Amino acid sequence: MIFACNDLSLVFSNPRTTEALANVSFTVEQNEFVCIVGPSGCGKTTLLRIIAGLLPPSRGEIVFSGNDDCQRPATAMVFQQQGLFPWMTVVDNVAFGLETRGVPKKERTSLAADFLSRVGLGGFLSAFPYELSGGMRQRVAILRAFLTDPHVLLMDEPFGALDAQTRILMQQELLTTWRDNPKTVIYITHDIEEAILLGDRILVMSGRPGTIQADILIDLPRPRTLSFRQHPQFDAIYQQVWQIIESEVREGITR
Amino acid sequence: MARKKNKANGSANHFSYGTLILVVGFLLLWEAGSRLGLISRMFFPPPSTILQTLYRLIANGRVIDSARATLNRLVLGSLLGITPGILLGVLMGWSRRLRALFDPLIAATHPIPKISIFPLILIIFGIGEISIVIVIAISAFFPALVTSMTGVAQLDQVYFEVAKNYGASRWKTFSRILLPGSLPSILSGVRLGLTTALLLTIAVELLSAKQGLGVMIWFSWQTLRVEELFATLIVVALLGIVINSGLRVLFARLAPWSPEHTGQTSTAIK
């Protein structure tokens, strides 16, 4: 086990008391890819922000047990959008995680440049984010998180704003990057299909207050590609997840 | 996923022949009207005469000396006003506590037309160059402060969250996120400060100075040398244009990623 959430709860008392998260507990193994799936408003982003240290929980704790190297940060997050700094070039953005760790400029720049070149972004080192498409920006943001080499990589619907076709390619690239640079990942999505494609495990959340309803192991072979959707187990898992969240989604559009 | 190139579509850079025709037509009408006596030749001398006067004023050095005096005041006053304005503005944008402390003072003093406190400054610092520079500095201080403060305060929170999540120290957050992130606002603070300072420089020169473009304007009015008045106005206008477009070019080099140059607004990306 590398990471554990123990009994996390979060209560907002403003303007009236709302319980955003209640008794969330789970553990994650080294280099495991865990997807958290839930309908919008179930508190999955809130949970991720707590893990990222951006929001203190009302109760409970988060334990990182793999602290072999305290130089490495606990987490690095890929935000939904806008995560890249518009004033930094692509290479400086990717090197930012190393910069905050005090890696000298020459070293971090060459590491970032190498990393970018390996996925075919070598021609964009000195481009600014505004010169890139939305998909490319997210690729760069993901590379930054990987290069920062945190104990746990956090992703908050990184492909949520992209069109469906681009998203397919991005998912494939993410899986390749992850295979070549094994990391512990917690990935948030509302897309059940995406969760099954990417994850070793799916945590299904429901909201008000946010709780974990199911912990589903996805014991399907890798590498997974588009054809993997025809796998008999795919449908079974899809149905299992959908049944848990269906009523809540229905509630959300009829209220 | 091709590289998207966003062409700046700033309307200020667009040149239209229609506008040129309009301007030339207006000048021709003026020239003809003045020469034919349809409008008063005394108050509206023909543009050709004004240009000749301008050439004479440049050749005999009068307008150059005056422009130099004006520029000296402008630069000195702006430096003295814009520098602390931006420093305080950035700090106030950065620290909620500083903002709470100074904001009421700024809100109360900012709307005062700065030319109106010139007599007060004369009483304190005496008649002379010091008072002139001080009133210019004060006028440049406020727009520089308010613009840079707003820019810092409105910087998207997500950048600070990324910095925090990636373990950036307070100094890194300041130097790598806050300062470059608000650079476009700081630069427009500089431009606004300079524009206001130019306004005040000419205004104060009209009131009280021994040399300068404002002095020339006032003097030519009092002696009814209207063609000199117009010639000097051309120089003042050119000064304003050069300052503004010079800064625009400089800023495009300093912050090429700024929404102002890329034609994107930050809300459009969201």
Side-chain angles (χ1 to χ4, degrees):
Chain A
M1 182 202 78
I2 182 175
F3 166 80
C5 283
N6 293 330
D7 214 20
L8 284 183
S9 295
L10 181 71
V11 179
F12 290 120
S13 48
N14 231 345
R16 58 204 163 116
T17 309
T18 7
E19 211 174 2
L21 291 175
N23 309 95
V24 173
S25 296
F26 64 94
T27 62
V28 178
E29 300 299 321
Q30 177 84 40
N31 296 343
E32 196 176 20
F33 200 123
V34 176
C35 291
I36 300 179
V37 180
S40 29
C42 74
K44 48 192 195 305
T45 295
T46 308
L47 174 61
L48 206 68
R49 290 168 61 81
I50 292 178
I51 299 172
L54 297 173
L55 199 66
S58 308
R59 250 196 352 265
E61 54 168 4
I62 292 162
V63 185
F64 296 91
S65 59
N67 265 335
D68 47 334
D69 176 3
C70 39
Q71 269 287 298
R72 291 171 60 195
T75 64
M77 178 128 150
V78 179
F79 290 77
Q80 279 178 22
Q81 282 171 62
Q82 290 277 63
L84 293 182
F85 303 120
W87 50 90
M88 289 187 200
T89 58
V90 165
V91 73
D92 282 349
N93 260 298
V94 172
F96 183 71
L98 299 178
E99 184 180 342
T100 60
R101 282 162 59 180
V103 178
K105 179 155 178 94
K106 225 177 175 165
E107 196 181 332
R108 65 175 191 251
T109 306
S110 86
L111 281 170
D114 265 10
F115 207 43
L116 283 158
S117 303
R118 249 181 286 155
V119 293
L121 286 171
F124 296 95
L125 298 183
S126 51
F128 285 101
Y130 78 87
E131 298 174 285
L132 309 178
S133 67
M136 282 175 87
R137 281 184 222 161
Q138 286 307 71
R139 288 170 77 192
V140 172
I142 288 170
L143 292 178
R144 171 174 70 185
F146 268 97
L147 190 66
T148 304
D149 192 26
H151 288 287
V152 181
L153 238 161
L154 307 175
M155 301 197 188
D156 183 8
E157 298 199 41
F159 308 145
L162 304 179
D163 63 82
Q165 286 81 31
T166 307
R167 195 181 312 166
I168 292 172
L169 295 179
M170 300 282 290
Q171 289 162 347
Q172 293 303 326
E173 181 172 298
L174 172 60
L175 284 177
T176 317
T177 309
W178 178 67
R179 187 196 62 206
D180 298 341
N181 311 268
K183 280 269 175 308
T184 311
V185 179
I186 299 179
Y187 188 103
I188 280 186
T189 180
H190 58 253
D191 183 346
I192 303 173
E193 199 176 309
E194 181 175 64
I196 304 173
L197 174 73
L198 297 175
D200 295 317
R201 245 168 87 206
I202 297 182
L203 303 176
V204 188
M205 273 186 88
S206 73
R208 292 175 250 279
T211 46
I212 290 180
Q213 296 291 325
D215 187 339
I216 303 166
L217 198 69
I218 307 175
D219 201 8
L220 295 174
R222 290 184 190 271
R224 299 174 190 165
T225 54
L226 275 184
S227 58
F228 144 91
R229 268 187 267 192
Q230 271 113 48
H231 199 284
Q233 272 204 52
F234 182 93
D235 257 344
I237 298 171
Y238 196 102
Q239 288 305 326
Q240 193 184 352
V241 175
W242 175 241
Q243 266 157 27
I244 299 169
I245 60 177
E246 183 184 4
S247 63
E248 198 164 328
V249 177
R250 208 171 285 285
E251 214 177 284
I253 57 172
T254 50
R255 248 181 335 152
Chain B
M1 275 189 277
R3 183 167 177 170
K4 242 191 336 197
K5 196 82 190 162
N6 288 292
K7 271 244 158 137
N9 47 0
S11 52
N13 303 329
H14 276 217
F15 176 81
S16 140
Y17 283 101
T19 316
L20 187 67
I21 290 167
L22 222 63
V23 171
V24 171
F26 174 75
L27 288 175
L28 284 176
L29 271 179
W30 180 354
E31 181 85 30
S34 181
R35 283 189 185 281
L36 297 172
L38 298 173
I39 49 174
S40 156
R41 194 171 174 142
M42 183 169 202
F43 295 141
F44 302 102
S48 56
T49 313
I50 294 171
L51 278 180
Q52 278 166 18
T53 311
L54 178 60
Y55 177 76
R56 185 168 45 81
L57 289 176
I58 294 173
N60 70 18
R62 261 182 71 202
V63 82
I64 305 289
D65 289 345
S66 298
R68 190 175 294 136
T70 300
L71 264 178
N72 278 342
R73 289 183 189 116
L74 177 67
V75 169
L76 194 60
S78 301
L79 268 178
L80 288 174
I82 292 174
T83 316
I86 282 173
L87 284 177
L88 189 59
V90 168
L91 288 176
M92 280 172 70
W94 172 239
S95 150
R96 209 173 294 255
R97 219 178 311 162
L98 270 182
R99 196 151 69 234
L101 183 64
F102 286 112
D103 213 21
L105 296 175
I106 304 295
T109 48
H110 183 32
I112 301 173
K114 300 305 167 296
I115 191 76
S116 65
I117 56 168
F118 186 51
L120 189 64
I121 292 170
L122 285 178
I123 290 175
I124 301 171
F125 295 96
I127 297 171
E129 210 51 39
I130 295 178
S131 291
I132 295 178
V133 169
I134 284 176
V135 78
I136 295 169
I138 292 175
S139 76
F141 172 80
F142 284 95
L145 182 147
V146 172
T147 315
S148 50
M149 176 179 74
T150 318
V152 174
Q154 284 177 350
L155 198 56
D156 199 324
Q157 276 304 309
V158 76
Y159 302 132
F160 293 105
E161 291 188 339
V162 176
K164 188 178 179 200
N165 178 239
Y166 280 74
S169 61
R170 222 175 137 72
W171 166 244
K172 268 268 181 262
T173 309
F174 184 80
S175 64
R176 292 291 275 154
I177 313 298
L178 185 123
L179 269 192
S182 46
L183 187 62
S185 310
I186 292 175
L187 294 178
S188 26
V190 170
R191 202 168 68 206
L192 264 175
L194 264 172
T195 316
T196 318
L198 178 62
L199 181 86
L200 254 284
T201 306
I202 300 297
V204 167
E205 282 177 354
L206 291 178
L207 281 176
S208 143
K210 293 204 166 53
Q211 205 181 21
L213 293 171
V215 177
M216 271 185 80
I217 290 173
W218 198 249
F219 185 70
S220 50
W221 176 76
Q222 283 189 319
T223 55
L224 225 62
R225 284 183 226 172
V226 183
E227 65 286 348
E228 280 189 21
L229 173 63
F230 277 109
T232 317
L233 282 179
I234 293 176
V235 177
V236 174
L238 281 178
L239 191 62
I241 292 169
V242 165
I243 288 174
N244 248 305
S245 42
L247 290 180
R248 209 179 285 275
V249 171
L250 179 70
F251 297 170
R253 299 196 133 230
L254 287 175
W257 46 268
S258 146
E260 212 178 311
H261 310 301
T262 61
Q264 286 180 337
T265 56
S266 53
T267 44
I269 310 170
K270 273 183 191 168

